[in-house]
Amino acid sequence: SLLFSKRTTKLKHLIQSKELEFIMEAHNGLSALIVQEAGFKGIWASGLSMSAQLGVRDCNEASWTQLLEVLEFMAERTTIPILMDGDTGFGNYNNARRLVRKLEERGIAGVCFEDKIFPKRNSLGDGAQELANIQEFSNKIKACKDYQRDKDFQIVARCESFIAGWGLENALERCEAYRKAGVDAILIHSKKSDFTEIEQFLKAWNNRLPVVIVPTNYYKTPTDEFRKHNVSLAIWANHNLRACIKAMQDTSKQIFERQNLIGLDNIASVKEVFRLQNEQGLEEDDKKYL
Ligand code: SPV
Ligand code: MG
């Protein structure tokens, strides 16, 4: 049964199964545990969220080794698979495949690489987007697939043709090249507020490989539409980050203005903090070992 499988095998199953599955964003050890406790079967280690929680921009300002440290805490506190947002792979094929090796060593189940130029920019912003050369990016994928040790480690190729304004034909050409390079799944991204671009792609793509989507901007599309068009995996990509930003802003403002702690109803108890940290586990061990 999958219950006792490796995380790579679990992620492979989430991606390769016929069912529509969901993974949820987390950006540190605590949020990763919260995602798991909510019932999700997998975690999206979002580049936007991990950079934002460090207080920097989503354009590779945080180095890949700094992100590895974040991912290590996320893996430590969870058992469900984590898919890392690997941006462009932090360089050429050699940098990308070394990242794959380090992710495998830290128990991360897969990585998503996007076909842009390092340093990348977030896809939802207004700035111009430069795409990678198709051949060069395909070879990067191939190098990573050749280099991984665990055969179930998942590599997702993210196509940014729509984001860059290059259209459907370009998206199909790219994704076909990435498929031939041996990638496990395609992530097709769109920043439109409706499902039209993704729907056109899904129809033309015709299930050649599993498809992953990120419905941040077209969130009003009913989830059954994703199911109907055979989407494999939907990523709720940044909503824990946005939830804690709002909660922290409200709480800081309220305490600053009132100069007391009365009537804060939207905060967790200290007891809950201890529970999430597993304080009790240490107390039990202290009795045994101290
Ligand atoms: C992320 O969550 O970092 C993503 C998705 O890459 S997006 O922000 O839409 O580019
Ligand atoms: Mg990202």
Side-chain angles (χ1 to χ4, degrees):
S1 117
L2 266 174
L3 199 60
F4 302 107
S5 300
K6 293 177 297 183
R7 291 203 241 205
T8 51
T9 312
K10 287 180 182 162
L11 181 62
K12 181 181 177 183
H13 191 78
L14 281 184
I15 290 176
Q16 308 294 332
S17 79
K18 295 278 169 251
E19 302 283 294
L20 172 64
E21 305 278 5
F22 307 94
I23 62 175
M24 174 80 188
E25 170 261 316
H27 50 267
N28 55 28
L30 181 68
S31 56
L33 177 59
I34 287 171
V35 166
Q36 175 166 299
E37 287 189 341
F40 282 99
K41 289 191 254 177
I43 294 166
W44 170 243
S46 158
L48 173 66
S49 299
M50 289 191 292
S51 57
Q53 65 93 20
L54 292 167
V56 299
R57 300 181 187 94
D58 185 18
C59 49
N60 304 123
E61 289 186 342
S63 74
W64 68 279
T65 55
Q66 288 174 321
L67 297 180
L68 272 185
E69 302 259 308
V70 175
L71 288 158
E72 195 168 27
F73 281 107
M74 291 169 68
E76 179 180 347
R77 294 311 316 282
T78 54
T79 53
I80 58 176
I82 299 169
L83 176 63
M84 183 210 186
D85 177 357
D87 291 341
T88 61
F90 302 88
N92 72 5
Y93 79 91
N94 188 45
N95 304 94
R97 72 181 179 178
R98 286 200 71 241
L99 174 61
V100 166
R101 175 64 42 83
K102 298 299 154 191
L103 292 174
E104 286 192 291
E105 288 170 0
R106 280 163 181 75
I108 304 302
V111 64
C112 177
F113 290 125
E114 63 195 61
D115 55 359
K116 296 210 300 245
I117 306 289
F118 178 89
K120 56 61 71 65
R121 295 189 156 238
N122 185 271
S123 301
L124 305 178
D126 295 326
Q129 297 280 356
E130 199 183 343
L131 297 192
N133 172 279
I134 298 184
Q135 191 60 51
E136 193 256 344
F137 188 78
S138 302
N139 286 343
K140 181 182 277 184
I141 295 291
K142 187 170 185 322
C144 290
K145 288 308 292 179
D146 287 346
Y147 204 59
Q148 70 185 54
R149 286 185 169 136
D150 179 337
K151 66 176 177 27
D152 289 346
F153 185 87
Q154 296 293 290
I155 299 183
V156 178
R158 164 167 163 179
C159 173
E160 294 274 292
S161 297
F162 290 132
I163 297 295
W166 284 90
L168 179 64
E169 288 310 311
N170 186 264
L172 289 167
E173 183 193 350
R174 284 175 174 274
C175 292
E176 181 60 14
Y178 309 157
R179 187 185 70 80
K180 286 188 178 139
V183 85
D184 297 293
I186 296 294
L187 189 159
I188 185 74
H189 204 9
S190 168
K191 62 176 181 178
K192 280 182 81 114
S193 59
D194 62 56
F195 193 48
T196 49
E197 282 180 339
I198 303 290
E199 186 177 347
Q200 282 172 8
F201 177 86
L202 288 164
K203 281 183 176 154
W205 181 248
N206 201 20
N207 304 311
R208 272 177 264 170
L209 271 182
V211 175
V212 181
I213 63 167
V214 185
T216 301
N217 279 8
Y218 50 94
Y219 66 92
K220 286 185 181 145
T221 310
T223 298
D224 268 338
E225 285 291 300
F226 307 156
R227 233 173 239 117
K228 207 174 88 193
H229 291 93
N230 289 319
V231 171
S232 171
L233 186 69
I235 298 177
W236 313 122
N238 49 45
H239 303 82
N240 275 325
L241 173 80
R242 289 159 62 185
C244 67
I245 288 174
K246 181 77 166 56
M248 290 191 288
Q249 285 171 334
D250 289 349
T251 302
S252 290
K253 184 165 183 282
Q254 185 175 327
I255 295 175
F256 177 77
E257 283 172 357
R258 297 187 193 175
Q259 298 189 339
N260 67 48
L261 303 174
I262 295 161
L264 291 168
D265 44 16
N266 239 339
I267 58 171
S269 64
V270 172
K271 212 172 138 200
E272 175 62 359
V273 177
F274 286 163
R275 187 192 68 79
L276 287 162
Q277 291 172 303
N278 192 19
E279 269 297 315
Q280 203 194 327
L282 188 63
E283 266 161 46
E284 284 159 14
D285 287 347
D286 280 355
K287 283 190 201 112
K288 251 168 46 193
Y289 301 121
L290 268 187

